[in-house]
């Protein structure tokens, strides 16, 4: 399938927004505040701070590489990173506000999470609009 330039721009925006989201989580020491993050970071390193950095820098680099070589070029495998990032950002965009409500106070990542949710939804819409156009032709 050929994706519109809008899909490429939205995917890149999602990767950049995720980096900003990761910075907010870093400032709030997510690895110390959220048990699933503690667990995932511990899989990478006994130093949770370092594990968090490795995971999030790796995620950013992976996102940029997927954009450069798959999404931007309309590669047949582009649907894989598109689906992966949409899933992660829907979870972030919904999960952070729920966690904040449960905690009854600020949680690391809640400020940027709604923007991730919005761009993920816009990306879904852009992909669906492209598919609808290709079915008409």
């Amino acid at each position: 399938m050929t994706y519109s330039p809008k899909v490429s721009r939205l995917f890149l925006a999602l990767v950049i927004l995720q980096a900003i989201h990761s910075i907010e989580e870093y400032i709030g020491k997510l690895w110390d505040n959220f048990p699933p993050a503690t667990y995932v970071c511990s899989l990478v390193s006994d130093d949770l701070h370092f594990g968090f950095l490795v995971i999030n820098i790796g995620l950013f680099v992976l996102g940029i590489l997927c954009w450069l070589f798959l999404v931007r070029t309309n590669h047949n495998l582009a649907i894989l990173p598109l689906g992966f990032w949409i899933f992660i950002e829907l979870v972030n965009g919904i999960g952070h506000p729920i966690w904040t409500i449960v905690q009854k106070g600020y949680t690391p990542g809640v400020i940027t999470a709604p923007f991730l949710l919005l761009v993920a939804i816009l990306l879904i819409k852009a992909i669906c609009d492209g598919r609808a156009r290709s079915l008409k032709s």
Side-chain angles (χ1 to χ4, degrees):
M1 170 165 187
T2 302
Y3 297 104
S4 71
K6 184 176 185 177
V7 168
S8 178
R9 287 190 305 270
L10 285 168
F11 181 82
L12 181 59
L14 208 50
V15 171
I16 292 168
L17 275 170
Q18 174 57 48
I20 294 166
H21 179 71
S22 294
I23 291 167
E24 180 189 358
E25 292 177 331
Y26 177 84
I27 291 167
K29 298 182 180 181
L30 182 72
W31 60 90
D32 283 339
N33 296 297
F34 190 54
T38 303
Y39 174 73
V40 172
C41 292
S42 75
L43 295 175
V44 175
S45 173
D46 290 336
D47 178 353
L48 299 178
H49 170 255
F50 179 73
F52 181 86
L53 288 172
V54 168
I55 291 166
N56 283 276
I57 291 169
L59 188 62
F60 177 72
V61 170
L62 177 65
I64 293 297
L65 291 174
C66 287
W67 175 74
L68 278 171
F69 297 110
L70 299 176
V71 177
R72 186 179 60 88
T73 63
N74 277 303
H75 192 280
N76 289 337
L77 296 176
I79 192 63
L80 297 174
L82 285 165
F84 172 77
W85 279 82
I86 287 169
F87 173 76
I88 286 193
E89 304 316 354
L90 290 174
V91 169
N92 266 327
I94 295 166
H96 277 281
I98 291 171
W99 180 36
T100 298
I101 291 166
V102 168
Q103 294 296 312
K104 297 179 181 160
Y106 173 80
T107 58
V110 73
I111 294 170
T112 50
F115 298 103
L116 293 170
L117 181 61
L118 174 64
V119 176
I121 291 168
L122 291 173
L123 182 54
I124 292 168
K125 184 180 180 323
I127 291 168
C128 290
D129 288 350
R131 287 195 177 173
R133 274 193 290 279
S134 69
L135 290 174
K136 287 180 183 176
S137 16

